[in-house]
Amino acid sequence: ELRWVMQRRFAALLAGGRAAEALALAETGGGDAVAREEQVEALLAAGRAGEAVTRLARWRAQPDANVRQILPLQVRALRETRAFEAMDRALEEWRALAPADPAVFSFGVVQLALAGRAEAANAAFDDFVLRFGGQAENLTPLVSALAAAQHVRLLQRCVAVANERGHPPQRAQVAL
């Protein structure tokens, strides 16, 4: 129960733009996976992506490291440090671990778009549509993520895909 309270406080601090306080709180949480994830999130929120990359590398070297938990954080941190080749390798590794998970591929599309890598984002989007675009429930989370990232071009492509496949486009159009 105390851990739950600390997690809520951590989330509130981050939401309030108080990354330094959130980091201090996360560092009191010990060395478990939840605390490590919060530490990295706080570093990223504080604009300290280089430190986040270093911390992730140390975490990943631990024998109990959950690579599936680390990889999305690593992709984001590498994006923020503009280490795009390493980011691409991390994305490929995560996709290989979860080849049937649309959330993994959706995350890749959004991260590439946020990195300003339009060609790579478009290619990742095309791959996503080939793998998962036949079902509306796979497009909806991508639409939400692209809307949050304010990537209008890819949002428009999502609406077009939804229309082509006969899915109700209301949710996608609302995001535009």
Side-chain angles (χ1 to χ4, degrees):
E1 191 171 299
L2 176 60
R3 185 66 172 144
W4 182 85
V5 171
M6 287 182 66
Q7 286 175 315
R8 299 290 68 81
R9 183 166 179 228
F10 173 82
L13 289 169
L14 274 188
R18 297 164 56 186
E21 291 174 65
L23 179 59
L25 178 63
E27 288 178 337
T28 67
D32 69 350
V34 172
R36 288 177 178 167
E37 185 171 343
E38 288 176 344
Q39 291 163 11
V40 169
E41 288 175 359
L43 286 169
L44 292 170
R48 295 164 54 186
E51 291 175 61
V53 169
T54 301
R55 206 171 280 212
L56 285 162
R58 278 186 291 191
W59 179 11
R60 191 168 173 160
Q62 299 296 313
D64 65 338
N66 179 348
V67 176
R68 291 176 191 254
Q69 181 182 14
I70 295 169
L71 281 169
L73 295 166
Q74 192 172 30
V75 168
R76 180 175 166 210
L78 291 166
R79 173 184 55 82
E80 291 188 16
T81 60
R82 304 190 63 74
F84 297 139
E85 287 181 21
M87 176 184 147
D88 290 343
R89 286 190 301 273
L91 275 171
E92 285 303 315
E93 181 180 2
W94 197 24
R95 289 177 189 140
L97 288 172
D101 185 349
V104 171
F105 286 78
S106 173
F107 182 82
V109 171
V110 173
Q111 292 300 306
L112 290 164
L114 288 170
R117 299 176 62 207
E119 188 175 316
N122 280 316
F125 177 82
D126 291 341
D127 185 46
F128 176 88
V129 170
L130 280 172
R131 290 173 185 263
F132 310 108
Q135 299 174 354
E137 62 268 13
N138 292 334
L139 286 172
T140 301
L142 179 57
V143 166
S144 298
L146 289 170
Q150 300 178 345
H151 203 285
V152 175
R153 270 197 202 114
L154 286 175
L155 267 172
Q156 290 169 333
R157 289 191 68 200
C158 278
V159 170
V161 166
N163 287 335
E164 288 168 7
R165 291 182 167 52
H167 301 310
Q170 293 86 359
R171 288 186 196 162
Q173 288 176 339
V174 167
L176 287 171

